[in-house]
Amino acid sequence: MHVGTQGTIKGVTTKQLNDLGVPIILGNTYHLGHRPGPSVVDAAGGLHKFMNWDKAILTDSGGFQMVSLLKLANFTEEGVKFQSPHNGTEMLLTPEHSMAIQNALESDIMMQLDDVVSVLTKGERMYEAMERSVRWLDRCQAAHKKVSTQNLFGIIQGGLEPEWRLKCLKKMISKDCPGYAIGGLSGGEEKEDFWKTVSICTDHLPKEKPRYLMGVGYQVELVVCSALGCDMYDCVFPTRTARFGSALVRTGQLQLKNKMFSEDLSPIDDQCSCLTCKTYSRAYLHFLLNEDTTGVILLTIHNIAYQLRLMSDIRKSIMEDKFPDFIRTFFSTMFPDKSYPSWVVDALSSVGVNLV
Amino acid sequence: MMVTKRSPEKQIPVTDVHLAKKAKLEEDESNSTVNGDQTIPEKIKSKKKNESILINPELEVRIEPDKTRRSQLNTTSHLIRTFKTEHFTLNSPDVMSYTHCGQVPHVTADLCSSTVNGDVSIVPLHSILTCIKVLEKLNKSLAEFVKTNNKIILNPFNSSEPCDLTAFNDQLGMSVWGKGGRKKITSKEYLDIVKISKPELFVSLSDVVPSSVNKKRANKSCYRTLQWVTEAIAFLEGNSGVTSQLLAPIPGSGDRQLMMKSANLLASRKVFGYVIERATLPTENWEDLVRDVVSILPDSRPVFMLGVLNELEIVKAYNCGCHFVDSSFVLHFSNRGQAMVLDSANPTPLPEPSRNPDHASTEEANKDFGPSLAENIPSEISGETEDKKKKKRETGKVLIFKPEHYIPSKSLTLDLVSAVYTRQFLKIAESCECFTCERHTRGYINHLIITRELLAPTLLMLHNMYHIRNLVNTVKAKVEGGSLERYEATLEGVFRIS
Ligand SMILES: [Zn+2]
Ligand SMILES: [Zn+2]
């Protein structure tokens, strides 16, 4: 899933996204709730019509954005209290409010409002956040007005504590959501803890329902977590990294602003069929990135194409029953010297794929 | 039609000792400071003296416009033309796409259909300075490097942003503002860049100064500009492998006497065509002057007016006999969130949208979740911050145009930054078939502008460029119908009312 924070993906038109084959995009409830506001999007006939996008849209709850953007966010049983960054007045985002906004946006997948704490939080507060997220899921389900057209996903919390994750899984699965997200990860935890927590969740989540791993999008993580059983990801990674001049390739990343590319007439990836690779050389992109915003747009297009291809290759290899081979090829290309991170080796061996 | 054979250079007697001395002085300066090894050939030296005399303000050489030609400048035979060389063809009238680095700003190539991009690109020198070394090393032309099929016109002067940038020009060369600040480009350096980048056409260096400067400064600018034309001609004569065609800027900073003299001199020089930089003309009432200037230029050569400020000026430029204009002002409109909506086929002022009671007020539009957005509305969506720009220019002395000069009459554009449009889920212009209007609404673009998304100027560029191409088609029809003059008057009326 690609992140379209403000109802757009950095400079790329919806026609271009469609041509690339993007199946779903993510809209941030916090941003869209603020500008243009749910009543405007509602008046436009929903977010799809507003931005002219007829494929799927997922919206988040708005809670996470507040925690990451606003230092003063404060969670109470009622909801998230925060100070408006614009005029300083105190505002409150409740589960009901989040549902109302997401109902107005008419996204295909909506996320429950959850109690977000840092993954490194220990003890009581983390447990409270897990329990509260379960209670808020109830309130979200009760407030959700368009059950027949919009899917509300629950978000599994519980930090790095296996017991709490299991407890949360049990409670939330009983609420029969159409899909589940694994929340609270990718926040600076040890990789060892990260994959083990993902693994606990995927072991217990219902097989027939989509599992969405929130906040994950690096190439290596996508492959490993797909092997662990996740289906969906979001990440600002391909678009954000483009903003810094970085191109995603099978061997990792190319920092195109680096002088070493200034005379390189080859495309970013000679096997990529995106507009950027079909038309332009690395040398030209190196030059353009330093001169004009169009360079960032071209790079964003390539990075999205890269990530879509990676995911469709994963999907294809699973269907053909060749996923372990795919994984081995992927990692030997990414780490030609076979210096695989140990967490990758451990995580993959837990599902029977041996890299070494 | 092929470029006609050149008449012999005009011989002008040396009569002004003072200017000749001054020229000598500046010449010495040039030899001693920058390129010690670069000596100016004798032949050029003598020409230089001639030119310095020609533009001497005290020398009363009255040059009369060609009245017969003047009356035919807006006719089919003058305006609707094909200019051919061995290597390319230009069809007039047309709008040359203003680009950065050969790219229409904000717009990727897949969205640049011919209705947006046309087939000629203006590339301002400042945007390619950082790739010249690479081009040379890789032995690639600029067109090959930027992957464009368009014909390229290299212009050392940036028509899009002519703010006091020329205050730093001197005898040695022109100041160009690129990434990382000001760079002095000498005539020799520039001609090397032409040789390396191989554009189809190039404008020689010009010391562009506004009409507000004093006669002495204006005179100096003529002297320098003509000198640089002379050097460019010598360069082309000495480099038979270079196929780039020369466009000579007509200096004179809006002064009739200087411009007529310059044009008269340049008429007999071996150049492909001429450029009148809008930035050198007075703010208003320049049409008579331009018509007079064009009337004494050879009929077989195209005239470009670069840096026009709005749709009306495009029509005026054509009506004055200019064959080509450029789209640099469209970038300013798009960066400011303005969509052009003048119906060129049937020009009438639009109703003022803000008077429509159906539309939500600012407060209402923003009541949803957050406070008023007024404070967040950007003055310019993209590009540099005002601060940076100010810093960049604070040392400049001469101010030509401020960005506000690009604001047209209000009712001929939609200021999509306004909260009036927040809830308008309609096309920018009902009859428009551009990429943007076929897919997106005023309300969505308003949102993109307010949230400073890159996509806002992209969508506006696509609409505005399409709009300008429509205007040119209308102009062609008017020329063929013999009614261009009437059309200009109508349009002028519309602009005045609004
Ligand atoms: Zn690519
Ligand atoms: Zn349009």
Side-chain angles (χ1 to χ4, degrees), chain A residues 56 65 75 77 115 147 151 166 171 198 209 260 320 327:
Chain A
Q65 292 289 331
F75 286 75
E77 188 57 35
D115 187 353
V147 183
N151 299 289
L166 286 170
K171 289 187 177 182
V198 171
K209 291 180 178 176
M260 67 185 283
E320 292 172 353
I327 294 172

Side-chain angles (χ1 to χ4, degrees), chain A residues 72 82-91, chain B residues 371 375:
Chain A
L72 297 165
F82 64 100
Q83 232 177 27
S84 161
H86 299 276
N87 61 5
T89 55
E90 190 160 277
M91 305 181 86
Chain B
E375 70 212 86

Side-chain angles (χ1 to χ4, degrees), chain A residues 149-168:
Chain A
T149 54
Q150 290 181 274
N151 299 289
L152 171 61
F153 279 26
I155 302 175
I156 309 294
Q157 291 290 356
L160 304 173
E161 204 64 57
E163 285 304 308
W164 299 350
R165 283 276 169 181
L166 286 170
K167 202 164 184 177
C168 188

